[in-house]
Amino acid sequence: ESQDRRDAYCTNWRPGGSTFTDGVTGGGMTGMMVRDACPFSCNFCQQSFLPKVPTVAPATPTPNPTSTPSKPPTASPTGSTQRPSYDCVNDENYFVQGNPEATCLWLGEDEDRRRQFCAAAETQLACPQICGACCADSEDYKITTNLNTRKGCRWIGKQSNRKRRYCLNQNNGRLVKAACPLSCDFCFEYASTSPTMAP
């Protein structure tokens, strides 16, 4: 019975407004068949008229990175040719191997002796200026001149006659060249420590 109804009505034009006039009845038709208005009941559902379900592509996993770093990692340093950083003051209370006569200044009196003992890290720490780790004048040290005025190391270094007059002498409790090594040209080449042997 349902099929008979579909056959009887679905292919008929739907009456309605006066879109156009058929040649038989003269009645106003809508320009739409019943099957167009009732596609489901008339089994007239066409694929092109069905609502489209959006298709979403499955998310693709991010590929594993294949590129290598543009620059290789920086290798750890294997050594340094720079002098170690010390406070540039010789320890006046340091004695090499406990000998009270073997002071830092005593090391500086002989080059072979200086290089021999400055190879020990302990001596370099105690006598950085003599061992050549640094060379700097004392900012606080002042001499008393022949005119009874107080002058610093830089004043001595400005003239060679001042160096000759003061650098090798004691003044205000210190040997002047020990307090003013840079101005008195009492600097030394760096004596590197002996390499440490691995156990």
Side-chain angles (χ1 to χ4, degrees):
E1 182 178 356
S2 297
Q3 184 62 41
D4 293 339
R5 290 178 182 172
R6 284 194 288 267
D7 293 341
Y9 296 106
C10 286
T11 57
N12 292 336
W13 292 99
R14 179 185 176 191
S18 57
T19 302
F20 68 93
T21 304
D22 65 0
V24 179
T25 62
M29 300 296 173
T30 61
M32 177 184 292
M33 287 187 176
V34 175
R35 68 183 182 185
D36 296 326
C38 306
F40 181 77
S41 297
C42 291
N43 290 332
F44 195 63
C45 296
Q46 300 183 38
Q47 187 68 27
S48 61
F49 296 147
L50 293 177
K52 295 182 178 180
V53 179
T55 57
V56 179
T60 56
T62 303
N64 293 328
T66 56
S67 60
T68 56
S70 57
K71 293 183 179 180
T74 303
S76 58
T78 57
S80 175
T81 58
Q82 295 182 346
R83 300 178 180 185
S85 176
Y86 299 111
D87 290 333
C88 199
V89 178
N90 297 318
D91 185 355
E92 296 181 356
N93 297 317
Y94 175 75
F95 307 111
V96 179
Q97 298 179 348
N99 185 344
E101 296 183 357
T103 63
C104 293
L105 291 177
W106 173 81
L107 291 178
E109 294 174 358
D110 182 272
E111 181 62 15
D112 291 337
R113 179 199 303 162
R114 186 183 76 88
R115 289 191 174 275
Q116 176 186 351
F117 290 104
C118 282
E122 175 185 311
T123 303
Q124 282 207 9
L125 287 171
C127 310
Q129 184 265 322
I130 292 295
C131 290
C134 60
C135 190
D137 294 337
S138 171
E139 296 292 335
D140 299 328
Y141 178 73
K142 305 291 183 182
I143 66 166
T144 301
T145 68
N146 295 338
L147 298 177
N148 204 31
T149 58
R150 293 176 62 82
K151 299 292 183 180
C153 295
R154 293 182 182 179
W155 178 84
I156 299 172
K158 289 181 179 180
Q159 295 183 12
S160 58
N161 63 324
R162 294 174 183 170
K163 295 179 184 180
R164 291 191 298 268
R165 182 179 304 149
Y166 296 107
C167 287
L168 298 179
N169 298 324
Q170 293 281 340
N171 195 301
N172 288 335
R174 297 184 67 181
L175 182 63
V176 175
K177 70 176 183 180
C180 306
L182 186 61
S183 295
C184 289
D185 301 324
F186 193 54
C187 298
F188 294 89
E189 182 180 352
Y190 176 58
S192 61
T193 56
S194 300
T196 303
M197 300 300 293

